[in-house]
């Protein structure tokens, strides 16, 4: 939001001159939050009599369900007019099942009051609330409640708060502030800036403290008892002393945090005005404001306008949803807390599922923690929820509002999927007279980051409007994974490139291509199954600790070191939701009622046993007709389906290999993309004769290696040509017979370049940084760089990698495009391998070795070989790239490309002799100049 804190003497005041604050009340369940709200309203003169939760007459428990159950289910507000202030108190649910309702409210708060149960201290859900408050950057006051109960100790509680929440929590209030020296010292410990001020001034002004609180650098901590009204007035006075009103711009803006319906069924959008003024009859988007209501408890007042800083509910906006921004306000980020359980809805026989679906959709609008899923194949409604309490509340709400008795099946876990490594997904949609192709890069993100979308595609390649449409299609739905059909998450999806047709492309075609690109990438890459995890805190008798630790370990959970508090053992840690769902009942059973467990949703982590989950769910991505993994291409006037594993053979645009931004792959396009992105000659079936002549002859290289190291005993038929994991290895066709190509050079002219792979990777800064994140990607990038270099210099290039630590590993020689990649055998380093090869061929051929290993350099020089240090080799590579670039630009300047334009001078002369009849194709015994026989 466009707002800043200012001193209480200056702020943007309402029409009556008062300043406005929106303050939220948050707490773990049963911490006394609703009781504190009653005591604050009573102290502020709003209530003549305090209500009580157990008496079912609390001012902010307006729903019958809340009064019946004694818990807050929906966020509500209460106005407190004071002489200089108008405070809007926002009461939020404390139960973990309704945490999403609480989280949506955070985005409209100026300050928050975190209520802690003095009898229990900081609990698991309290820590979750604290993390959310810090994420949304909300200034926090703490109120430690129930200090009237026996056993509560102020010093121990403050220490607990500092350890589990933040060291900058400082005791405030008349008693703490009376000792000004100690109070100042405590604030000075909140940071270097505060220590410097304290040393210079010996204390702090009220304005400085207020600014520190607003900046999230100081967290005032008050103590009291809301039920007994102890410390409540001091807390309210302290809050008014140190709070500062936000300053809002004149431009209109508002943030939507909730959708609700009144008793008459009218749809209301609850929002906070964050700039300018909102008036009745104002047009917002496609809607018009019909009414503005300011609620306080169950009652409301209709007003003609709402000023900046006010919380209100408006009628007339139909398309809004929680998190939307109006005016200058952007939309909010996706919430952190999500449903973790899914249930099938069973309707009475006379009820049709399709007719009930709109009713569930209305409830979904009002409850952010409820997700409704329609299973088209089974014609079933499924709901995703936070827990069992929410199921009971939902059942009662449906009965009250729609008069339908529903039941729910046993809950199952809401799994999610992501990718383990970057992968390019390609989608093509080309039935007759349709056309769209999309290339997406799918990359793993941090846990809890959700889905992020971006584009690096040039507008010269694909128009901006088509790019926006593709990003819209990515955002408009949940994309199912390929392991269990669960939604994907924690991923960055980048539009790499795409293609449209001037005549045969419409928006819907890109939807199909986009969806298929996501699915194809997921099938090609390595998908990871995620499941929700809980953070737990157990308080147990000492004799039950062994049983509890054994149970958690069986679940695959993690336990921190046990603690002892007042004779009670405390266990804390993390465990999968699948194992912890029914565990609270077991804890009560085996501790005979003396133990308790508190569960807080932590997030999604890797599933410990994905194969068992996949087998239980039984999802088959190839049979999911609604979400195809393949693409549709067109040939001979008809469309045909291509499975996901062959899409890249048919795609029309060159691909990019994941992890190598800006580079192009040779797959499918019929053009090999070099390190510079300059197309190289050749066709989709292999390489032309000119390139084949300079490619390392495989039989020759095997003979050299056999003489140097002996025949590979692990494979009778020859060398093990297993491709490295994750790399595309294409076996090029054998070189054409000698009589059909020009004569090869004499052996004395052949040049070999041996490269110590890991030595180069860790010597070049770019590759070293990449290797720190993904060593396989660094190897692949070096291989591509060397392929491009070999294609220009025409040397025989051998890249050597150590595999000496791999137990039982045999020597592997892998042809990678136009170079050979060697993985040494067990107990043999790349240095040893290169030294042996150099010794074998160094006297016969021109051999160069690229390495910065000092000892290896000395040995290589003794073999009569040339040397490149890593730095020299880097300069050589860059020089070759510059020559390639200049040659490419010269060819472009000519404007016309002739058949033999790209050939070297010798081959071009040979072809000219054929044209003039001086020699015949295939006659290898005629020299085109002197008639000398071919050395081949």
């Amino acid at each position: 939001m466009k707002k800043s804190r200012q001193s209480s003497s200056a702020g943007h005041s309402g029409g009556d001159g008062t300043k406005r604050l929106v303050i939220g009340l948050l707490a773990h369940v049963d911490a006394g939050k609703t009781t504190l709200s009653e005591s604050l309203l009573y102290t502020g003169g709003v209530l003549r009599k305090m209500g009580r939760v157990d008496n079912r007459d609390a001012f902010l428990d307006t729903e019958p369900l809340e009064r019946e159950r004694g818990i807050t289910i929906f966020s509500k507000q209460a106005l407190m007019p004071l002489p200089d202030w108008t405070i809007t108190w926002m009461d939020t649910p404390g139960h973990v099942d309704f945490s999403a309702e609480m989280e949506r409210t955070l985005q409209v708060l100026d300050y928050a009051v975190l209520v802690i149960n003095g009898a229990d201290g900081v609990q698991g859900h309290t820590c979750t609330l604290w993390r959310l408050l810090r994420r949304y950057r909300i200034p926090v006051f703490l109120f430690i409640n129930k200090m009237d109960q026996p056993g509560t100790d102020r010093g121990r509680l403050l220490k607990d708060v500092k350890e589990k929440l933040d060291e900058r929590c400082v005791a405030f209030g008349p008693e703490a502030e009376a000792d000004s020296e100690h109070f100042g010292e405590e604030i000075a410990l909140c940071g270097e800036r505060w220590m410097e001020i304290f040393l210079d001034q010996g204390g702090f002004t009220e304005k400085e403290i207020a600014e520190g609180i607003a900046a999230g650098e100081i967290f005032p901590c008050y103590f009291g008892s809301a039920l007994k009204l102890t410390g409540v007035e001091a807390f309210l006075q302290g809050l008014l002393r140190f709070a500062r009103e936000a300053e809002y711009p004149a431009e209109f803006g508002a943030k939507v945090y909730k959708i609700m319906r009144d008793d008459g069924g009218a749809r209301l959008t609850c929002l906070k005005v964050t700039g300018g003024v909102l008036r009745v009859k104002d047009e917002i988007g496609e809607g018009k404001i019909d009414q503005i209501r300011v609620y306080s408890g169950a009652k409301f007042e209709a007003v003609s306008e709402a000023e900046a800083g006010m919380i209100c509910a408006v009628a007339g906006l139909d398309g809004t949803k929680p998190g939307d921004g109006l005016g200058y306000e952007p939309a909010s980020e996706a919430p952190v807390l999500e449903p973790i359980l899914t249930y099938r809805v069973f309707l009475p026989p006379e009820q049709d599922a399709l007719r009930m679906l709109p009713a569930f959709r209305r409830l979904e609008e009002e409850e952010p923690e409820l997700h409704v899923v329609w299973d088209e194949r089974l014609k079933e409604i499924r709901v995703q929820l936070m827990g069992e309490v929410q199921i009971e509340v939902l059942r009662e709400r449906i009965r009250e509002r729609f008069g339908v008795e529903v039941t729910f099946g046993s809950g199952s876990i809401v799994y999610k999927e992501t990718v383990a490594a970057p992968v390019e997904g390609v989608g093509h949609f080309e039935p007759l007279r349709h056309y769209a192709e999309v290339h997406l890069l799918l990359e793993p993100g941090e846990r809890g980051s959700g889905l992020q979308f971006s584009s690096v595609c040039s507008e010269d390649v694909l128009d901006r409007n088509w790019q926006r449409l593709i990003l819209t299609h990515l955002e408009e739905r949940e994309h199912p994974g390929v392991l269990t059909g669960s939604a994907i998450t924690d991923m960055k999806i980048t539009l790499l490139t795409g293609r449209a047709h001037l005549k045969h492309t419409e928006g819907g075609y890109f939807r199909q291509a986009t969806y298929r690109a996501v699915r194809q990438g997921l099938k090609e890459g390595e998908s990871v199954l995620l499941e929700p995890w809980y953070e737990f805190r157990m308080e147990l008798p000492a004799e039950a600790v062994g049983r509890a630790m054994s149970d958690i370990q069986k679940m695959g959970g993690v336990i921190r070191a046990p603690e002892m508090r007042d004779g009670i053992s405390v266990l804390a840690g993390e465990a999968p939701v699948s194992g912890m769902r029914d565990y609270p009942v077991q804890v009560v059973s085996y501790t005979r009622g003396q133990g308790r467990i508190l569960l807080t949703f932590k997030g999604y982590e890797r599933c410990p046993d994905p194969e068992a989950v996949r087998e239980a769910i039984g999802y088959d991505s190839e049979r999911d007709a609604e979400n195809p993994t393949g693409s549709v291409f067109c040939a001979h006037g008809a469309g045909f389906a291509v499975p996901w594993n062959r899409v890249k053979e048919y795609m029309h645009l060159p691909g990019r290999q994941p992890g190598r931004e800006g580079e192009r792959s040779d797959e499918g396009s019929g053009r090999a993309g070099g390190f510079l992105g300059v197309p190289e000659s050749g066709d989709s079936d292999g390489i032309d004769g000119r390139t084949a002549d300079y490619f390392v002859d495989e039989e020759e290289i095997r003979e050299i290696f056999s003489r140097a190291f002996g025949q590979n005993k692990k494979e009778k038929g020859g060398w093990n040509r297993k491709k490295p994991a994750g790399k595309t290895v294409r076996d090029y066709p054998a070189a054409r017979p000698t009589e059909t190509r020009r004569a090869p050079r004499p052996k004395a002219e052949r040049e070999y370049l041996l490269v110590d792979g890991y030595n180069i990777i860790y010597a070049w800064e770019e590759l070293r940084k990449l290797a720190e994140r993904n060593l396989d990607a660094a190897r692949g990038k070096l291989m591509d760089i060397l392929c491009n270099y070999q294609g220009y210099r025409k040397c025989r290039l051998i890249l050597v990698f150590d595999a000496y630590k791999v137990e039982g590993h045999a020597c592997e020689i892998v042809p990678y495009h136009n170079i050979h990649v060697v993985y040494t055998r067990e107990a043999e380093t790349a240095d040893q391998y290169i030294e042996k090869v150099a010794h074998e061929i160094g006297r016969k051929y021109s051999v160069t070795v690229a390495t910065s290993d000092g000892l290896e350099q000395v040995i290589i020089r003794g073999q009569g070989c040339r040397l490149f240090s890593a730095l020299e080799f880097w300069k050589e590579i860059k020089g070759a790239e510059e020559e390639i670039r200049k040659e490419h630009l010269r060819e472009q300047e000519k404007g016309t490309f002739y058949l033999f334009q790209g050939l070297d001078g010798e081959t071009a002369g040979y072809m000219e002799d054929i044209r003039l009849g001086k020699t015949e194709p295939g006659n290898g015994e005629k020299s085109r100049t002197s008639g000398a026989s071919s050395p081949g």
Side-chain angles (χ1 to χ4, degrees), residues 7 44 56 85 96 113 121 148-149 183 483 514 544 631 668 717 749 853:
S7 66
R56 301 183 180 180
W85 293 90
V96 66
V113 175
D148 57 319
Q149 293 192 7
F183 180 65
L483 301 178
T514 301
S631 288
E749 296 180 7
D853 186 290

Side-chain angles (χ1 to χ4, degrees), residues 127-188:
C127 296
T128 301
L129 295 173
W130 183 262
R131 287 194 294 269
L132 287 172
L133 289 168
R134 303 318 306 138
R135 179 177 187 265
Y136 287 95
R137 299 180 181 179
I138 300 172
V140 183
F141 287 79
L142 292 89
F143 186 83
I144 300 183
N145 195 19
K146 302 187 179 182
M147 292 301 294
D148 57 319
Q149 293 192 7
T152 55
D153 180 84
R154 182 184 296 233
R156 180 177 60 81
L157 286 168
L158 185 61
K159 181 181 177 182
D160 189 43
V161 167
K162 285 177 174 287
E163 289 178 353
K164 295 181 178 178
L165 299 184
D166 198 297
E167 284 287 343
R168 296 171 295 178
C169 294
V170 178
F172 274 58
E175 184 178 338
E177 295 173 40
D179 187 352
S180 59
E181 183 176 351
H182 179 73
F183 180 65
E185 290 174 353
E186 288 294 307
I187 293 179

Side-chain angles (χ1 to χ4, degrees), residues 594-644:
Q594 299 180 49
R596 65 173 182 168
I597 182 171
L598 301 171
L599 301 176
T600 304
F601 176 63
K602 174 182 181 289
Y604 277 80
E605 300 292 344
R606 273 183 178 260
C607 179
D609 192 2
E611 293 305 320
V613 174
R614 292 183 63 183
E615 184 177 349
I617 293 176
Y619 176 76
D620 186 349
S621 60
E622 295 305 307
R623 294 186 178 182
D624 188 349
E626 298 294 321
N627 301 286
T629 57
S631 288
V632 179
F633 289 81
C634 185
H636 308 297
F640 64 97
V642 174
W644 67 267

Side-chain angles (χ1 to χ4, degrees), residues 652-669:
H652 293 178
L653 290 167
R656 301 186 186 183
Q657 294 191 16
R660 282 169 262 178
E661 192 64 34
E663 300 175 42
R664 303 190 310 182
S665 165
D666 65 331
E667 293 184 275
S669 66

Side-chain angles (χ1 to χ4, degrees), residues 29-74:
V29 67
D30 294 332
K33 171 181 56 60
T34 301
T35 304
L36 177 62
S37 69
E38 292 288 313
S39 62
L40 287 168
L41 293 173
Y42 176 77
T43 303
V46 176
L47 301 179
R48 294 183 178 181
K49 178 185 177 182
M50 282 179 56
R52 291 189 55 159
V53 174
D54 49 0
N55 291 340
R56 301 183 180 180
D57 61 352
F59 180 74
L60 288 173
D61 283 346
T62 58
E63 296 285 337
L65 276 174
E66 294 177 316
R67 293 181 175 179
E68 180 183 338
R69 293 181 169 272
I71 60 173
T72 302
I73 299 174
F74 309 103

Side-chain angles (χ1 to χ4, degrees), residues 132 228 235 252 257 435 625 809:
L132 287 172
K228 302 288 182 66
F235 169 63
F252 170 73
Y257 71 94
Y435 190 91
H809 189 270

